[in-house]
Amino acid sequence: MVIKVYPRTMFEIIKGTHTEQKLLDSSKVISINTPAYAPKNIVKEEPPFTLLNHPNLLILYFHDYYKPLQDVVLMSDEDAQKIKQFITGNEETVYVHCTVGISRSGAIGTFLSEYFNGKDSKEHKHFLNTHWLQPNTWVYEKMKKAYGV
């Protein structure tokens, strides 16, 4: 399985184009978006897609934090279970994005690559060599729990 982690700007560029349709028809996409955060006047980040009901698109909302804090929405066990149900292992290519494409999406991409490709596989080594990531430890642990590892 090829796992690709990108910032949301990659999908904003193709939003509403034939390329968006083609990408969603041929791959699965996990779209991680930031919910509103009142203390810092951050507004809810909308997914960078027009085809919001496409069956190959999973949309999630949680903040990029590593521990519980007031007014912070962390990745939940339910979010991790949604990913587990969405990604079957039969996919050829899976895209994962968050705002910057480093932490939240990095944790999910890293976990999926390790789990489906194996930590010592050439596919996983290629994944690590082609992405600059700092996986969010909370998200990574939620993924491990969902998959029972």
Side-chain angles (χ1 to χ4, degrees):
M1 178 186 304
V2 176
I3 311 288
K4 297 184 178 192
V5 174
Y6 288 107
R8 71 180 286 112
T9 52
M10 185 264 197
F11 299 97
E12 289 171 341
I13 291 168
I14 65 168
K15 182 178 180 178
T17 68
H18 177 69
T19 304
E20 176 187 355
Q21 178 79 52
K22 188 176 174 184
L23 179 111
L24 289 171
D25 287 344
S26 63
S27 311
K28 291 225 176 158
V29 178
I30 301 170
S31 176
I32 304 164
N33 303 278
T34 302
Y37 185 55
K40 293 191 177 185
N41 295 321
I42 296 173
V43 297
K44 180 180 178 183
E45 188 176 59
E46 295 301 328
F49 299 93
T50 55
L51 304 170
L52 297 176
N53 294 318
H54 197 286
N56 288 341
L57 176 62
L58 176 63
I59 299 171
L60 301 171
Y61 291 91
F62 55 88
H63 290 110
D64 189 12
Y65 282 84
Y66 299 83
K67 62 183 180 179
L69 295 171
Q70 184 176 351
D71 300 315
V72 168
V73 177
L74 292 171
M75 181 189 203
S76 66
D77 291 332
E78 292 79 21
D79 291 329
Q81 284 298 322
K82 286 178 185 177
I83 294 170
K84 183 178 179 185
Q85 292 169 2
F86 183 67
I87 303 299
T88 64
N90 296 324
E91 296 80 9
E92 186 174 322
T93 306
V94 174
Y95 290 87
V96 187
H97 91 78
C98 62
T99 306
V100 182
I102 294 174
S103 186
R104 291 172 291 175
S105 57
I108 292 168
T110 298
F111 177 81
L112 292 175
S113 182
E114 289 173 358
Y115 186 82
F116 288 107
N117 296 327
K119 285 185 178 184
D120 296 324
S121 70
K122 67 179 181 176
E123 291 84 5
H124 183 61
K125 289 176 183 175
H126 177 74
F127 170 80
L128 293 175
N129 287 331
T130 56
H131 293 85
W132 186 81
L133 306 171
Q134 292 181 311
N136 177 307
T137 53
W138 178 276
V139 172
Y140 187 83
E141 290 301 317
K142 289 291 181 184
M143 293 298 297
K144 283 176 56 178
K145 182 179 177 186
Y147 282 82
V149 294

